[in-house]
Amino acid sequence: MKDIIYVLDFGSQYSHLITRRIRELGIFAELVPVNYPINKLTQAKGIILSGGPRDISKKDTLLVGRGLFSLGVPILGICYGMQLMAHMFGGKVALGKKREYGPVEIKILKRGHLLAGLKTKQQTWMSHRDQVVKLPRGFSVLASSKNCRYSAIANEKIGIYGLQFHPEVVHTVNGMKILKNFVNLTQAKCSWSMRDFVDNAIKDIKQKVGQEKVVCALSGGVDSSVAATIVNKAIGRQLTCIYVDTGLMRQGETEQVKKTFLSYQRANLKVINAKKQFLEELKNVTDPEKKRKIIGNLFIRIFEKEAKKIGGVKWLVQGTLYTDAITSGVSVGKTAAVIKSHHNVGGLPKKFGFKLIEPFRGLYKDEVRKVGRLLGLPKEVTERQPFPGPGLAVRIIGEVTEERLDIVRQADWIAREEIEKASWANKAQQYFTVLPSIRSVGVQGDSRTYGYPIIVRAVTTRDFMTADWARLPHNLLATISARITNEVKEVNRVIYDITSKPPGTVEWE
């Protein structure tokens, strides 16, 4: 049996990211619910307690059995996980005087095993309100920040460690070093690779599907394209890809999808024009959650209709990622908060006529790109700009209309063209425009205008679980602004979004 590290899921937006980081170190890791049987946890070389949205002082808080701390293996608590450990060992947790969200510098006071090899000052990523305010007996402080006295703690004698910050996110500069230090404490042996994932996924799909027919919800994006390819590797001509032109696509999107999948992949592809249906269903709808659910429901109904024409279709392939599932409130322990429902997760109807194949539900965007490269897909597919399943509907704040779609589509084309022309396409992992529902006064051609503002959003990220705003050059922003206000008639103002994730999300809706 492979050496394994278990991650207990307390509902953090980053729970699966911890698991993924341990796997990057070559160690097999598995995300399990907080009530995972103690007799199975005895197989672990180490255990990590994730963060989570709960308050340790509330009645509905999540706890673990005390037997967990008697297993004799190293244990690491992150954020809520650290607070939980401190609480259970007799320490005190309370609301901090100041919240910490985003980048925070800590000062290392004692390195111990966990922080070995690090310089005294470290850039970390925090996301918390509560914090440990009194240490349990036997624990010592390893690091502090300006607003959090106990940013890292340890009881080296019993092998228990705690971090208030998140080492699993890329914005904690030496987070992987810290996690590697913990893995070294467990003495777990390397036994995991992405090639293993690909081989196992193909075997699993073959076994699940047998001789039955399958349709794939193809958007042309990275996730659905790679999902279609891996399923095709497994079952060949049993697969039919269906691309639905919703009318909510970016400029040139549909033409690009046809070219890629008919000429390069030579896939069994059906293109459905459903622009009118989507606009009718979205009429007078302003709530983003309702938009996503309407779109998800309509997608399924169209797939069901097309599947009936094919006949005998039992399965639907979706390119769902872990980030889609976790922000929709779907976690291993069913403890995650709903941030927004993705059309292919929280937007699905409760009953529909397919069984789902979601080979990437446990992966992140950059991992799916790696899978695509392993499968031999071209760069124009694997490195393609992300685009949400609901399309421009969630880049328009408020009601979706033909006029507003035209505005945001034109603005998006200009922003993308200028960013790519300025060689920022590889530096910013996602960039797009948003049309808000407000208007503002402007002056164009010596006349008063009352037009829309356009919000430009560009982020740098590795996994889309966290992101930072891209520092686009001022002259590039000036060019984008000038072109949009000159070329898009209804726009008289351009705004640049400088919010990280957290506290914001990459998309606005």
Side-chain angles (χ1 to χ4, degrees), residues 262-280:
L262 289 175
S263 62
Y264 169 73
Q265 295 243 49
R266 300 186 184 278
N268 188 11
L269 175 66
K270 293 186 75 175
V271 178
I272 311 299
N273 187 335
K275 297 177 185 179
K276 190 175 178 182
Q277 286 172 265
F278 278 87
L279 274 175
E280 284 177 358

Side-chain angles (χ1 to χ4, degrees), residues 198-467:
V198 171
D199 293 342
N200 291 336
I202 290 172
K203 286 177 188 175
D204 183 55
I205 292 163
K206 280 181 180 177
Q207 187 177 356
K208 268 185 182 178
V209 172
Q211 298 303 311
E212 293 174 333
K213 291 181 182 178
V214 180
V215 292
C216 176
L218 180 65
S219 70
V222 176
D223 312 324
S224 65
S225 299
V226 180
T229 304
I230 201 168
V231 173
N232 188 57
K233 289 272 185 187
I235 61 170
R237 299 298 292 179
Q238 290 168 247
L239 173 68
T240 299
C241 296
I242 299 175
Y243 172 78
V244 179
D245 186 350
T246 61
L248 309 173
M249 314 306 286
R250 291 177 296 191
Q251 191 166 316
E253 201 93 32
T254 298
E255 292 73 20
Q256 183 184 16
V257 169
K258 287 179 182 177
K259 183 180 177 181
T260 299
F261 283 88
L262 289 175
S263 62
Y264 169 73
Q265 295 243 49
R266 300 186 184 278
N268 188 11
L269 175 66
K270 293 186 75 175
V271 178
I272 311 299
N273 187 335
K275 297 177 185 179
K276 190 175 178 182
Q277 286 172 265
F278 278 87
L279 274 175
E280 284 177 358
E281 290 288 329
L282 291 168
K283 192 173 182 180
N284 299 320
V285 177
T286 58
D287 180 77
E289 282 292 286
K290 195 171 180 183
K291 283 185 197 175
R292 289 175 179 275
K293 285 178 166 58
I294 287 169
I295 291 166
N297 184 74
L298 188 50
F299 263 121
I300 289 295
R301 299 306 170 216
I302 291 170
F303 293 135
E304 286 177 334
K305 183 179 177 182
E306 294 305 315
K308 280 183 182 178
K309 294 178 185 176
I310 296 167
V313 175
K314 302 292 184 183
W315 298 87
L316 172 67
V317 180
Q318 293 195 137
T320 310
L321 301 185
Y322 179 70
T323 43
D324 301 336
I326 195 63
T327 53
S328 297
V330 179
S331 64
V332 168
K334 296 180 171 55
T335 49
V338 176
I339 307 302
K340 57 186 176 184
S341 297
H342 286 258
H343 79 289
N344 55 351
V345 184
L348 291 177
K350 289 183 180 179
K351 292 184 180 180
F352 54 93
F354 301 108
K355 293 177 280 186
L356 289 176
I357 298 174
E358 297 176 310
F360 308 139
R361 197 179 177 91
L363 299 187
Y364 296 83
K365 180 74 71 176
D366 61 311
E367 289 182 306
V368 174
R369 293 187 198 279
K370 287 179 186 175
V371 171
R373 289 192 286 270
L374 282 171
L375 292 170
L377 285 169
K379 193 173 181 180
E380 56 263 31
V381 174
T382 60
E383 305 308 312
R384 190 170 179 269
Q385 263 280 306
F387 188 57
L392 298 176
V394 291
R395 291 181 179 172
I396 293 173
I397 312 301
E399 185 183 2
V400 179
T401 65
E402 192 79 64
E403 180 202 21
R404 302 188 81 205
L405 281 166
D406 286 342
I407 293 169
V408 76
R409 189 179 286 120
Q410 289 177 60
D412 177 78
W413 175 262
I414 291 167
R416 286 192 293 129
E417 187 175 60
E418 290 300 331
I419 287 169
E420 287 159 17
K421 195 189 297 181
S423 301
W424 265 83
N426 295 325
K427 300 173 192 174
Q429 282 66 54
Q430 191 164 358
Y431 39 90
F432 55 91
T433 60
V434 178
L435 177 64
S437 57
I438 59 172
R439 289 177 181 262
S440 66
V441 173
V443 55
Q444 290 170 297
D446 293 326
S447 298
R448 178 188 186 274
T449 61
Y450 193 56
Y452 290 106
I454 278 287
I455 299 157
V456 177
R457 176 79 159 143
V459 299
T460 57
T461 181
R462 181 175 167 185
D463 46 47
F464 289 89
M465 286 303 294
T466 60

